[in-house]
Amino acid sequence: QVTLRESGPALVKPTQTLTLTCTFSGFSLTTSGMCVNWIRQPPGKALEWLARIDWDDDKYYSTSLKTRLTISKDTSKNQVVLTMTNMDPVDTATYYCARTVAGNIHWFDPWGQGTLVTVSS
Amino acid sequence: DIQMTQSPSSLSASVGDRVTITCRASQGIRGSLAWYQQKPGKAPKLLLYTASRLESGVPSRFSGSGSGTDYTLTISSLQPEDFATYYCQQYYDTPPYTFGQGTKLEIK
């Protein structure tokens, strides 16, 4: 069974850097085709894809946020880390991680339960 | 980036009704479309992929169709548990992936 779980701070201050961790089980990011994505959702608003990291360490970023995002992986811990710099109140959102499979499965399934991050001084 | 325009943004319907939600892509996406259902406080749940393929365990009252730029999600007979927000997502020539703005389905 594939599961993912997000963790990180619930509150960050404006201008700070956010670091979120996705810990997963049921698959390995050393397996060909496996990918982990980050998606966010501001309260009451739509979903927004942020970034993806692949088993071969290829990385992809949102066009509008790519200057602020960095995604990385620690295969020994089955973790993917997303950092977002220069946080602003508009970045307040629930942040999800989800799996896709390169070449085959570009829909998100499964998802983690999400972690709410509030940006406020 | 491919833009996804979803309509309507909200919809009121009754149990037993047939409802249709539409998603239009800014360019052809050749069926590279998924639909999700999201309930308050929960992560989205995959319903359909490749425009019309039902995810395992999803009731058959959900169906999808479309081609090119225009796609629809249909619920043939609304059940109480179907009242939720629905999102489309394109994955053509990805990344970046993009979502529609969502359709909130409410009880009339």
Side-chain angles (χ1 to χ4, degrees):
Chain A
Q1 180 189 6
V2 173
T3 65
L4 305 97
R5 186 183 75 251
E6 307 86 352
S7 59
L11 180 66
V12 298
K13 290 179 169 30
T15 76
Q16 287 187 335
T17 293
L18 171 68
T19 299
L20 294 172
T21 300
C22 176
T23 303
F24 55 88
S25 63
F27 69 99
S28 172
L29 260 181
T30 62
T31 300
S32 179
M34 293 297 137
C35 313
V36 173
N37 299 260
W38 284 96
I39 301 128
R40 72 177 180 178
Q41 184 174 38
K45 296 189 177 180
L47 300 159
E48 178 183 23
W49 176 81
L50 299 176
R52 184 182 106 184
I53 190 164
D54 295 358
W55 80 102
D56 58 1
D57 213 36
D58 278 350
K59 299 165 187 174
Y60 304 87
Y61 295 102
S62 159
T63 304
S64 60
L65 291 168
K66 59 185 175 184
T67 61
R68 299 174 53 206
L69 296 173
T70 303
I71 193 169
S72 62
K73 60 184 170 69
D74 184 334
T75 53
S76 66
K77 295 181 180 179
N78 279 353
Q79 291 181 334
V80 169
V81 174
L82 181 75
T83 62
M84 180 180 291
T85 61
N86 194 24
M87 293 292 284
D88 183 272
V90 300
D91 297 313
T92 294
T94 297
Y95 288 75
Y96 297 97
C97 58
R99 189 186 71 165
T100 53
V101 179
N104 287 350
I105 302 175
H106 291 280
W107 47 91
F108 303 110
D109 184 56
W111 297 62
Q113 86 278 9
T115 187
L116 176 62
V117 177
T118 301
V119 184
S120 174
S121 54
Chain B
D1 296 4
I2 297 174
Q3 304 304 311
M4 303 302 291
T5 303
Q6 199 173 327
S7 61
S9 56
S10 64
L11 176 59
S12 293
S14 302
V15 172
D17 284 354
R18 178 185 180 91
V19 299
T20 298
I21 298 168
T22 297
C23 202
R24 173 167 288 175
S26 58
Q27 64 183 73
I29 57 172
R30 301 184 71 177
S32 299
L33 188 92
W35 289 97
Y36 302 88
Q37 177 192 67
Q38 187 179 33
K39 295 185 177 179
K42 299 294 187 181
K45 171 190 171 185
L46 177 69
L47 297 177
L48 297 108
Y49 55 94
T50 320
S52 61
R53 301 190 72 170
L54 203 64
E55 171 70 348
S56 176
V58 174
S60 59
R61 62 181 179 273
F62 291 91
S63 63
S65 64
S67 62
T69 61
D70 296 329
Y71 298 86
T72 59
L73 170 70
T74 299
I75 310 172
S76 60
S77 178
L78 274 173
Q79 298 303 300
E81 61 268 29
D82 300 337
F83 291 95
T85 301
Y86 293 84
Y87 292 94
C88 61
Q89 174 233 334
Q90 70 79 22
Y91 50 89
Y92 179 75
D93 194 23
T94 53
Y97 305 107
T98 46
F99 292 89
Q101 310 97 303
T103 295
K104 186 174 183 179
L105 180 53
E106 299 175 304
I107 301 173
K108 185 183 287 184

